[in-house]
């Protein structure tokens, strides 16, 4: 049987037995939440703290955005701990699908303790000027370089076991994106420990019928593949050079802290949903048959998590579509 992953199936299975809670960076009117204020000390990290009933989280910005080249080391840091403006991606032309909001911080998510300096060379001759050497400070998926201590990243710590679904924007599909555990600094493996779904820039629905008039909607893909399976390719969303608006879904252990970030750029954070309970939801979805429903839509094309009153359409993993009427 074909194995698939569907956020919709996960949500439907979980809602009946477990509670769901969420937090987003935007207010209902699309404005950025008031929590996003830069630290008054420009040399200190800006930290937004948020929580729901069962999850505590942080979103950080800065403070170091780079280093000024110079004749002596350590070099003088360029500090920036501000927040970007809130961004909005419309997912449908008529507004029937809720837009995707996200916000970015400043600075790359690195371990500043591992930044070193190298002399700038011209034709093999030293110039007496030095620049920052970042390579050893970047995160490594095996945890050997430690976790970020600077820049833009998110942490989430559930109080009880459950399933976390995190919304993130990646400016190019060629960027590594990680969900790493604080306990060992290792990244969750996509396809088995963490699942990617979402939208890739430039891809629209092409399915058209009297019952399924979806052209003009961005295609929510229930499974997004990575660039490859070896090395860092296993952590690069297979979106080529396109931007992607994605959901990272994984089983979360009570008391564990999860870091979410891009390796060497500023990931946009949208928010999260948390469904309490064990990890059976993830496991059952990962082993579902090809006849598992992967999407629900109302007759006007709006995507819903479960059938609602009226005419509903179910699109299955094998490509078939069925009409459901709920009274």
């Amino acid at each position: 049987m074909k194995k698939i992953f569907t956020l919709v199936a996960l949500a439907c299975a979980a809602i009946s037995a477990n509670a769901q809670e969420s937090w987003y960076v935007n207010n209902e009117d699309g404005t950025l939440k008031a929590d996003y204020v830069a630290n008054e000390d420009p040399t200190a990290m800006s930290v937004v703290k948020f929580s729901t009933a069962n999850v505590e989280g942080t979103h950080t910005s800065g403070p170091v955005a780079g280093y000024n080249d110079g004749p002596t080391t350590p070099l003088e840091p360029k500090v920036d701990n501000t927040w970007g403006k809130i961004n909005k991606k419309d997912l449908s032309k008529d507004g029937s699908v809720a837009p995707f909001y996200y916000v970015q911080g400043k600075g790359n998510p690195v371990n500043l303790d591992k930044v070193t300096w190298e002399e700038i060379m011209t034709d093999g001759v030293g110039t007496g000027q030095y620049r920052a050497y970042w390579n050893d400070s970047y995160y490594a998926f095996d945890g050997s370089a430690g976790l970020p201590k600077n820049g833009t990243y998110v942490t989430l710590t559930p109080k009880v076991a459950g399933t976390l679904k995190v919304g993130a924007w990646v400016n190019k599909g060629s960027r590594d994106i990680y969900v790493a555990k604080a306990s060992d600094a290792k990244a969750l493996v996509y396809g088995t420990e963490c699942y990617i779904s979402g939208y890739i820039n430039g891809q629209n629905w092409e399915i058209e019928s009297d019952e399924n008039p979806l052209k003009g909607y961005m295609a929510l893909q229930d499974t997004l593949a990575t660039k490859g399976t070896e090395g860092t390719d296993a952590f690069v969303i297979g979106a080529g050079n396109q931007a992607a608006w994605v959901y990272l879904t994984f089983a979360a252990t009570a008391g564990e802290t999860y870091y979410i970030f891009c390796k060497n750029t500023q990931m946009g954070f949208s928010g999260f949903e948390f469904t309490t309970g064990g990890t059976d939801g993830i496991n059952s979805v990962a082993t579902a048959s090809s006849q598992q429903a992967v999407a629900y839509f109302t007759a006007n094309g709006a995507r819903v998590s479960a059938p609602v009153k009226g005419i509903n359409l179910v699109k299955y993993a094998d490509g078939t579509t069925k009409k459901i009427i709920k009274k």
Side-chain angles (χ1 to χ4, degrees), residues 43-122:
T43 66
M45 177 179 282
S46 297
V47 182
V48 173
K49 296 181 179 181
F50 49 86
S51 64
T52 58
N54 290 293
V55 179
E56 294 183 351
T58 66
H59 191 190
T60 69
S61 178
V64 176
Y67 289 92
N68 294 301
D69 296 346
T72 58
T73 59
L75 298 175
E76 179 184 0
K78 302 174 184 176
V79 294
D80 189 348
N81 65 0
T82 60
W83 295 101
K85 65 180 179 63
I86 194 164
N87 294 279
K88 173 187 175 185
K89 177 62 179 178
D90 288 316
L91 302 177
S92 64
K93 293 180 178 179
D94 60 5
S96 59
V97 178
F100 191 110
Y101 291 96
Y102 60 96
V103 66
Q104 295 173 269
K106 301 296 173 66
N108 287 337
V110 296
N111 185 343
L112 292 178
D113 297 338
K114 296 181 179 292
V115 176
T116 56
W117 325 109
E118 62 178 357
E119 187 173 8
I120 301 172
M121 309 295 286
T122 301

Side-chain angles (χ1 to χ4, degrees), residues 109-145:
V110 296
N111 185 343
L112 292 178
D113 297 338
K114 296 181 179 292
V115 176
T116 56
W117 325 109
E118 62 178 357
E119 187 173 8
I120 301 172
M121 309 295 286
T122 301
D123 296 328
V125 178
T127 63
Q129 293 285 307
Y130 293 84
R131 63 188 173 194
Y133 180 78
W134 294 93
N135 287 23
D136 296 333
S137 69
Y138 290 123
Y139 173 79
F141 61 84
D142 62 2
S144 59

Side-chain angles (χ1 to χ4, degrees), residues 10-257:
L10 172 61
C12 292
I15 287 174
S16 61
N18 304 316
Q20 189 177 78
E21 54 203 67
S22 60
W23 188 90
Y24 301 100
V25 300
N26 60 289
N27 298 306
E28 289 188 7
D29 62 358
T31 57
L32 184 63
K33 283 187 173 172
D35 309 70
Y36 282 88
V37 178
N39 194 318
E40 292 182 357
D41 179 358
T43 66
M45 177 179 282
S46 297
V47 182
V48 173
K49 296 181 179 181
F50 49 86
S51 64
T52 58
N54 290 293
V55 179
E56 294 183 351
T58 66
H59 191 190
T60 69
S61 178
V64 176
Y67 289 92
N68 294 301
D69 296 346
T72 58
T73 59
L75 298 175
E76 179 184 0
K78 302 174 184 176
V79 294
D80 189 348
N81 65 0
T82 60
W83 295 101
K85 65 180 179 63
I86 194 164
N87 294 279
K88 173 187 175 185
K89 177 62 179 178
D90 288 316
L91 302 177
S92 64
K93 293 180 178 179
D94 60 5
S96 59
V97 178
F100 191 110
Y101 291 96
Y102 60 96
V103 66
Q104 295 173 269
K106 301 296 173 66
N108 287 337
V110 296
N111 185 343
L112 292 178
D113 297 338
K114 296 181 179 292
V115 176
T116 56
W117 325 109
E118 62 178 357
E119 187 173 8
I120 301 172
M121 309 295 286
T122 301
D123 296 328
V125 178
T127 63
Q129 293 285 307
Y130 293 84
R131 63 188 173 194
Y133 180 78
W134 294 93
N135 287 23
D136 296 333
S137 69
Y138 290 123
Y139 173 79
F141 61 84
D142 62 2
S144 59
L147 292 163
K149 297 181 179 180
N150 176 79
T152 297
Y153 60 89
V154 172
T155 70
L156 296 172
T157 306
K159 300 175 183 177
V160 297
T163 301
L164 276 166
K165 173 185 170 186
V166 182
W169 171 79
V170 185
N171 65 349
K172 288 185 180 179
S174 59
R175 302 288 191 179
D176 305 15
I177 186 168
Y178 296 102
V179 177
K181 295 180 293 179
S183 58
D184 58 12
K186 293 182 179 180
L188 300 186
V189 178
Y190 290 127
T192 57
E193 297 178 305
C194 184
Y195 299 87
I196 318 170
S197 62
Y199 309 86
I200 296 176
N201 188 48
Q203 297 189 19
N204 294 314
W205 289 105
E206 295 297 338
I207 304 168
E208 292 183 273
S209 70
D210 292 339
E211 296 181 341
N212 202 6
L214 294 176
K215 196 161 186 175
Y217 291 73
M218 284 197 72
L220 173 57
Q221 299 175 66
D222 291 284
T223 303
L224 290 177
T226 58
K227 182 180 178 182
T229 58
E230 302 296 328
T232 58
D233 282 355
F235 298 94
V236 176
I237 299 168
N241 205 36
Q242 296 292 331
W245 298 263
V246 302
Y247 302 105
L248 307 171
T249 303
F250 53 95
T253 302
E256 178 69 85
T257 295

Side-chain angles (χ1 to χ4, degrees), residues 258-312:
Y258 298 88
Y259 282 65
I260 302 98
F261 56 94
C262 282
K263 178 180 178 179
N264 58 350
T265 189
Q266 296 79 48
M267 178 192 80
F269 176 52
S270 176
F272 73 91
E273 295 175 3
F274 179 67
T275 304
T276 61
T279 60
D280 289 344
I282 284 282
N283 295 334
S284 63
V285 166
T287 57
S289 75
S290 61
Q291 275 297 306
Q292 177 69 56
V294 297
Y296 288 102
F297 302 93
T298 60
N300 66 359
R303 190 181 182 97
V304 292
S305 59
V308 296
K309 186 175 181 180
I311 297 175
N312 296 266

